Amino acid sequence: MQKMKAAVCRQYGAPEVLQIQEVKKPVCRNDEILVRIMASSVNSGDVKLRSLAVSGLQKIVMQMVLGFSRPRRSVLGMVYAGMVVDTGKKVSRFKVGDRVFGMTGFSFGAYAEYINVKENSIVLTMPANAGFEQAAALPFGWHTAIYFFEKAGINASKRASILVYGASGSVGTAAVQLAHYFNAELTSVCSSAGKDLLQGLGATSIICYDQEDFTQCQKKFDLVFDAVGKISRQSCKHLLNQGGRFVTVGGLDMAGQKLSHLQLIRELFEKGKCQAVIDKVYPFNEIVAANRYVDSGKKKGNVVLLLNE
């Protein structure tokens, strides 16, 4: 039986619950591909699932989905970029040597040296101009931003006015770029530490929440998007135009995964309309430190994890 290294999580808690161990290396079934994972990411969704640091109904729902006393699937991680090293007999979309990126959702498994995924899962060949680190930094934030923009109908709007709260995080930096793609009138809210990053992404109207109260903004918006799950509709409903929407990543609504979202991400990156915003890169054996950094709330953009070098 062949072995591989994986970060195993046997209980919910602090970053230290993650331990790198040797586990059974997967093999691909007829409709699967086996991917040697080169890079993954540690994002806000990952640490929320690892720690189960939520309360009320959200905690109950997450426990029902993930496991009550500990994760049912001990190898976490939802995003990967890597190389196809084997294919099942019925696989036609991919071949050995293809560079691919994808999302596993609540199947997890991306904090490991190898993963087997179904050919028809959320996986595509990587953007031709992307490296593994960039490809691993794209799916979570961009996929989430696309999902909530579509939910609010921004993709069908003309010159919508949008406020993005938490604009310097993984989801926020994707939302800022996506707003530009949809030709929206954008106002970004972040800390002073994130201002330069957002200006580099083309943001011009920026409110630093540690210097002024964004809820006192005189503008009205078609969409207020809480990209970090820290504000409520009640606190900013006066900022909405009639018929305006408030959406947040902090509710029970999980961003449903679609292959079309991944296809859009790849297309935008290849056309130069999408940047992979990377804050820090950690080797696999420092996964605990990577989780600590994301837990700190100081992350800007994405934290990437290198699994094979």
Side-chain angles (χ1 to χ4, degrees):
M1 181 176 66
Q2 291 185 308
K3 297 279 191 176
M4 68 172 181
K5 290 181 180 179
V8 176
C9 180
R10 302 292 187 190
Q11 65 186 81
Y12 299 116
E16 288 73 19
V17 299
L18 295 168
Q19 297 182 354
I20 295 180
Q21 299 177 2
E22 284 199 339
V23 301
K24 182 181 178 181
K25 180 182 174 181
V27 294
C28 59
R29 301 175 182 87
N30 285 340
D31 60 346
E32 293 179 338
I33 58 175
L34 180 65
V35 179
R36 183 174 187 245
I37 299 179
M38 305 303 292
S40 183
S41 69
V42 181
N43 52 63
S44 57
D46 291 310
V47 300
K48 182 185 292 186
L49 297 172
R50 184 214 73 227
S51 63
L52 204 65
V54 293
S55 58
L57 182 59
Q58 188 177 29
K59 184 171 184 177
I60 295 172
V61 171
M62 287 180 64
Q63 286 179 306
M64 290 176 65
V65 173
L66 305 175
F68 280 90
S69 59
R70 63 181 180 179
R72 292 191 187 94
R73 298 181 182 272
S74 59
V75 179
L76 303 180
M78 297 184 289
V79 173
Y80 63 91
M83 188 85 69
V84 176
V85 294
D86 195 10
T87 63
K89 294 179 181 179
K90 295 182 179 180
V91 170
S92 58
R93 287 178 55 211
F94 302 99
K95 64 183 185 300
V96 172
D98 282 347
R99 303 191 316 155
V100 296
F101 74 139
M103 301 183 70
T104 62
F106 290 146
S107 295
F108 302 117
Y111 291 161
E113 291 181 308
Y114 294 87
I115 190 171
N116 56 327
V117 298
K118 290 187 178 298
E119 177 187 32
N120 63 356
S121 63
I122 311 301
V123 57
L124 286 174
T125 53
M126 285 167 39
N129 52 340
F132 291 114
E133 293 179 20
Q134 293 171 308
L138 291 171
F140 176 77
W142 274 86
H143 165 81
T144 305
I146 293 169
Y147 172 82
F148 282 104
F149 273 35
E150 285 186 351
K151 180 180 179 179
I154 296 303
N155 55 319
S157 300
K158 293 183 178 179
R159 195 60 176 167
S161 56
I162 300 174
L163 181 142
V164 175
Y165 182 88
S168 62
S170 175
V171 178
T173 52
V176 166
Q177 297 178 73
L178 194 61
H180 292 319
Y181 172 70
F182 286 130
N183 196 33
E185 183 181 338
L186 174 69
T187 297
S188 305
V189 182
C190 66
S191 69
S192 300
K195 185 175 182 180
D196 288 346
L197 170 61
L198 294 187
Q199 287 177 330
L201 294 176
T204 54
S205 178
I206 302 173
I207 299 174
C208 297
Y209 61 72
D210 51 350
Q211 295 182 352
E212 58 182 304
D213 183 357
F214 83 96
T215 65
Q216 300 304 308
C217 178
Q218 298 303 305
K219 296 180 182 178
K220 297 281 188 178
F221 302 94
D222 299 313
L223 170 65
V224 172
F225 177 37
D226 173 16
V228 288
K230 291 187 176 180
I231 60 175
S232 67
R233 187 183 191 283
Q234 187 66 28
S235 67
C236 54
K237 64 179 182 180
H238 61 285
L239 297 176
L240 295 172
N241 285 323
Q242 185 174 0
R245 299 287 302 275
F246 170 83
V247 295
T248 177
V249 300
L252 292 175
D253 189 5
M254 301 291 183
Q257 296 186 355
K258 294 182 180 180
L259 190 61
S260 60
H261 292 171
L262 203 61
Q263 289 169 333
L264 177 59
I265 294 166
R266 181 176 66 180
E267 177 186 340
L268 293 179
F269 193 90
E270 289 182 339
K271 290 181 177 180
K273 297 181 181 296
C274 161
Q275 292 185 43
V277 181
I278 299 174
D279 186 341
K280 291 190 177 185
V281 178
Y282 289 84
F284 190 27
N285 62 4
E286 293 183 18
I287 188 171
V288 171
N291 273 255
R292 282 200 204 105
Y293 181 60
V294 177
D295 274 358
S296 74
K298 297 177 180 178
K299 174 178 71 70
K300 301 291 183 289
N302 297 270
V303 168
V304 171
L305 196 65
L306 296 182
L307 288 104
N308 286 291
E309 297 185 63

